[in-house]
C-alpha cells in the first residue's frame, strides 16, 4: 500500500481537550510513517481544505505536539461550516478532491460534533460519488455530550467538572452571604437542546453535603409556578438557593425563555441569554436578592481543571482514529464504551458514521428527578466517573504554560477558491 498524506481539522466549538485528540492523532501518525506521510492540518477546519490553507504539522517539534495534550482550544483554528449535499453544491466536493489530489491526501480526519460527523460522512462517500478514494474518520468532540452511540463525548467531562466545581464554590459563597445579602444565584450553562452540562451542576450536592440546587433542563418544559415554589422552599429551608439553567430551556409555548420578550435585571430588553430572565422571574415572583452569571467560553476553555478521565479519552480517540484508518476502515468514528461504572472501566469501540451524523442524544428520562429539577442516582452513577481525576498543565510564572504552534503554511498549488 502506497504511503499517503493525511488531512486533519478541528470543527465547531472547541473544548479544553480537543488538542489532546490532536496530540493522540499526530503522535500515532508519526509512529506509522510507513503508512502515513505528512499530516496537513486545515487552518480553521474544513475551510482550510476548501481554500487550500493547509498547515504542515511536521514542522512542529515532538515536544510541541506532546504539549497539545495539556493545551486548550483549537490549535489549528476551528469553524462552523457544514457542507451542503453533493446535489446542492457539487463544486465544493470537486474542490476537495482537487486539493486532496494536489497534496496526495488519502486520509481525512475530522474532529468535531454532530455537524462534523455529517461532513465526514459526506467526504467518506467521495469514492463512490466522484471516484476519489479517501478514508474518512470522524474524531468525536463536543461539550454538549449529545453524540449517539458513544457512552460520552470528549470535552464533556471537563466542562462537567468545571460546572460542578463552580456550582459548589458559588453555593458556599451564597450560603455565607445569604443572611443579609444574596439569596439566589443563577448560573447559565451551554446546552441548547440537551441538558447534560446542566445536570453536572447537580453533582455539587451530595448525601454527605446537601446543597439546595435547582436544575433547569431543555428536556423539561419550564413551569414558572413550580420553579418559584421550589426556590421559595429551598430559601426558607436553607437560607439560600443556587440554580443552574441550560441555555435551551423552553416554556410551554415551545419558545426559548430568552425569547419571551422579558426584560433583564437592569430593565433592558432581553435579546439573548436565559440567566437574567430567570433572575427577573425570581425578583418579580419572590422579591429575593439575586446574582446571575454566564459560564460561556470559560466552561469549555478551562484546561486548568480538566477531568483526568476526559483528557485520557480525548487522546485515545485521536490515536484510535489513525489506527482504524490504517486498518482500512472508512466512514467510522471511534467511540468510548463503558464496561463498568464502579469501578470505572472503559474501552475504545467503533461506530458507523451513518448512525452518528445528524442524531442528538438527549438526557434519558430516568436521569432526571420526578419533579424535573434535579438528577437521579442513576445519572450520578453515569456522571461521576467522567469528572474524576486531575490532569493539571505545567505552570510558568503562576500561569498555565500552554503551547502555541508555528502553524507553518503549506505552499499552495491550485488557483484561489472562494466559499
Amino acid at each position: 500500500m502506497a504511503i499517503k498524506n493525511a488531512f486533519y481539522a478541528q470543527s465547531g466549538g472547541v473544548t479544553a481537550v480537543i488538542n489532546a485528540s490532536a496530540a493522540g492523532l499526530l503522535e500515532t501518525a508519526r509512529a506509522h510513517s510507513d503508512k502515513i506521510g505528512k499530516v496537513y492540518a486545515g487552518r480553521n477546519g474544513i475551510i482550510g481544505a476548501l481554500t487550500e490553507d493547509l498547515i504542515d504539522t511536521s514542522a512542529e517539534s515532538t515536544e510541541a505536539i506532546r504539549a497539545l495534550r495539556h493545551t486548550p482550544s483549537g490549535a489549528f483554528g476551528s469553524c462552523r461550516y457544514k457542507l451542503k449535499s453533493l446535489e446542492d453544491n457539487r463544486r465544493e466536493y470537486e474542490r476537495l478532491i482537487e486539493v486532496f489530489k494536489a497534496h496526495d491526501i488519502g486520509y481525512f480526519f475530522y474532529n468535531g460534533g454532530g455537524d462534523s460527523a455529517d461532513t465526514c460522512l459526506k467526504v467518506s462517500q467521495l469514492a463512490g460519488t466522484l471516484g476519489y478514494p479517501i478514508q474518512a474518520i470522524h474524531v468525536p468532540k463536543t461539550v454538549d455530550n449529545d453524540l449517539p452511540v458513544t457512552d460520552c463525548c470528549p470535552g464533556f467531562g471537563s466542562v462537567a467538572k468545571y460546572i460542578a466545581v463552580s456550582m459548589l464554590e458559588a453555593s458556599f459563597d451564597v450560603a455565607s452571604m445569604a443572611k443579609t445579602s444574596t439569596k439566589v444565584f443563577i448560573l447559565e450553562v451551554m446546552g441548547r437542546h440537551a441538558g447534560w452540562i446542566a445536570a453536572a451542576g447537580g453533582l455539587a450536592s451530595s448525601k454527605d453535603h446537601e446543597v439546595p440546587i435547582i436544575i433547569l433542563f431543555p428536556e423539561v418544559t419550564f413551569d414558572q409556578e413550580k420553579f418559584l415554589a421550589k426556590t421559595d422552599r429551598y430559601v426558607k429551608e436553607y437560607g439560600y438557593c443556587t440554580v443552574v439553567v441550560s441555555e435551551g430551556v423552553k416554556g410551554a409555548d415551545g419558545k426559548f425563555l430568552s425569547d419571551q420578550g422579558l426584560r433583564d435585571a437592569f430593565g433592558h430588553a432581553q435579546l439573548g441569554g436565559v440567566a437574567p430572565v430567570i433572575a427577573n422571574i425570581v425578583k418579580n415572583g419572590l422579591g429575593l436578592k439575586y446574582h446571575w452569571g454566564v459560564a460561556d467560553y470559560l466552561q469549555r476553555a478551562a484546561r486548568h481543571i480538566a477531568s483526568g478521565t476526559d483528557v485520557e479519552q480525548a487522546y485515545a480517540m485521536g490515536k484510535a482514529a489513525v489506527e482504524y484508518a490504517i486498518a482500512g476502515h472508512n466512514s467510522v468514528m471511534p467511540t468510548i464504551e463503558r464496561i463498568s461504572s464502579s469501578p470505572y472501566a472503559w474501552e475504545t469501540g467503533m461506530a458507523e458514521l451513518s448512525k452518528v451524523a445528524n442524531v442528538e442524544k438527549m438526557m434519558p428520562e430516568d436521569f432526571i428527578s420526578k419533579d424535573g429539577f434535579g438528577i437521579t442516582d442513576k445519572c450520578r452513577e453515569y456522571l461521576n466517573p467522567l469528572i474524576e481525576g486531575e490532569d493539571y498543565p505545567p505552570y510558568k510564572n503562576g500561569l498555565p504554560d500552554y503551547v502555541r504552534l508555528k502553524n507553518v503554511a503549506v505552499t499552495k498549488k491550485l488557483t484561489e477558491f472562494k466559499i
Side-chain angles (χ1 to χ4, degrees), residues 195-272:
W196 295 102
I197 299 176
L203 295 178
S205 179
S206 65
K207 293 179 181 178
D208 296 333
H209 183 83
E210 290 188 8
V211 177
I213 294 175
I214 294 175
I215 306 172
L216 301 179
F217 301 94
E219 293 90 345
V220 179
T221 300
F222 181 71
D223 185 315
Q224 181 170 314
E225 185 178 342
K226 288 183 178 179
F227 166 71
L228 288 174
K230 182 85 170 183
T231 303
D232 185 50
R233 182 170 70 80
Y234 271 164
V235 171
K236 286 177 178 175
E237 182 178 350
Y238 293 89
Y240 75 101
C241 174
T242 51
V243 180
V244 56
V245 54
S246 183
E247 62 184 346
V249 169
K250 296 178 180 179
D253 58 3
K255 295 181 180 179
F256 293 115
L257 286 192
S258 54
D259 291 336
Q260 295 290 317
L262 299 175
R263 293 185 174 273
D264 65 18
F266 303 101
H268 302 137
Q270 181 56 41
L271 302 178

Side-chain angles (χ1 to χ4, degrees), residues 127-297:
T129 55
L130 296 176
Y132 184 80
I134 184 94
Q135 285 173 254
I137 312 292
H138 182 242
V139 186
K141 172 257 16 165
T142 175
V143 297
D144 291 328
N145 199 41
D146 59 357
L147 288 176
V149 186
T150 185
D151 177 72
C152 60
C153 304
F156 169 69
S158 294
V159 168
K161 190 180 187 79
Y162 178 88
I163 295 302
V165 170
S166 296
M167 288 301 292
L168 179 62
E169 293 176 339
S171 295
F172 268 67
D173 188 302
V174 178
S176 67
M177 300 295 294
K179 184 68 176 178
T180 58
S181 186
T182 303
K183 304 288 188 189
V184 181
F185 174 71
I186 302 121
L187 180 66
E188 178 180 331
V189 302
M190 290 178 174
R192 197 164 183 80
H193 301 294
W196 295 102
I197 299 176
L203 295 178
S205 179
S206 65
K207 293 179 181 178
D208 296 333
H209 183 83
E210 290 188 8
V211 177
I213 294 175
I214 294 175
I215 306 172
L216 301 179
F217 301 94
E219 293 90 345
V220 179
T221 300
F222 181 71
D223 185 315
Q224 181 170 314
E225 185 178 342
K226 288 183 178 179
F227 166 71
L228 288 174
K230 182 85 170 183
T231 303
D232 185 50
R233 182 170 70 80
Y234 271 164
V235 171
K236 286 177 178 175
E237 182 178 350
Y238 293 89
Y240 75 101
C241 174
T242 51
V243 180
V244 56
V245 54
S246 183
E247 62 184 346
V249 169
K250 296 178 180 179
D253 58 3
K255 295 181 180 179
F256 293 115
L257 286 192
S258 54
D259 291 336
Q260 295 290 317
L262 299 175
R263 293 185 174 273
D264 65 18
F266 303 101
H268 302 137
Q270 181 56 41
L271 302 178
V274 71
V277 173
I278 296 298
N280 214 38
I281 289 172
V282 169
K283 175 188 175 183
N284 294 335
L286 300 174
L288 297 173
K289 187 171 182 180
Y290 61 84
H291 272 268
W292 60 268
V294 182
D296 203 48
Y297 283 4

Side-chain angles (χ1 to χ4, degrees), residues 84-100:
K84 296 178 182 178
S85 67
L86 179 64
E87 294 74 25
D88 291 336
N89 204 341
R90 188 181 183 90
R91 73 184 189 98
E92 287 189 338
Y93 293 90
E94 292 174 340
R95 172 64 176 188
L96 286 177
I97 290 178
E98 288 177 5
V99 173
F100 293 161

Side-chain angles (χ1 to χ4, degrees), residues 374-409:
I375 57 175
T376 62
D377 288 341
K378 188 172 183 179
C379 184
R380 289 178 183 279
E381 182 182 35
Y382 169 78
L383 291 174
N384 276 326
L386 305 184
I387 70 168
E388 288 181 352
E390 286 67 54
D391 192 307
Y392 300 118
Y395 277 72
K396 182 178 181 180
N397 298 326
L399 293 172
D401 189 15
Y402 298 141
V403 68
R404 288 188 180 275
L405 302 182
K406 300 174 185 176
N407 284 348
V408 176

Side-chain angles (χ1 to χ4, degrees), residues 4 37 49 53 69 105 124 134 144 153 178 202 212 287 336 341 353:
K4 289 285 186 179
D53 192 358
R69 184 177 174 123
I105 293 170
S124 73
I134 184 94
D144 291 328
C153 304
I336 298 163
S341 292
L353 272 184

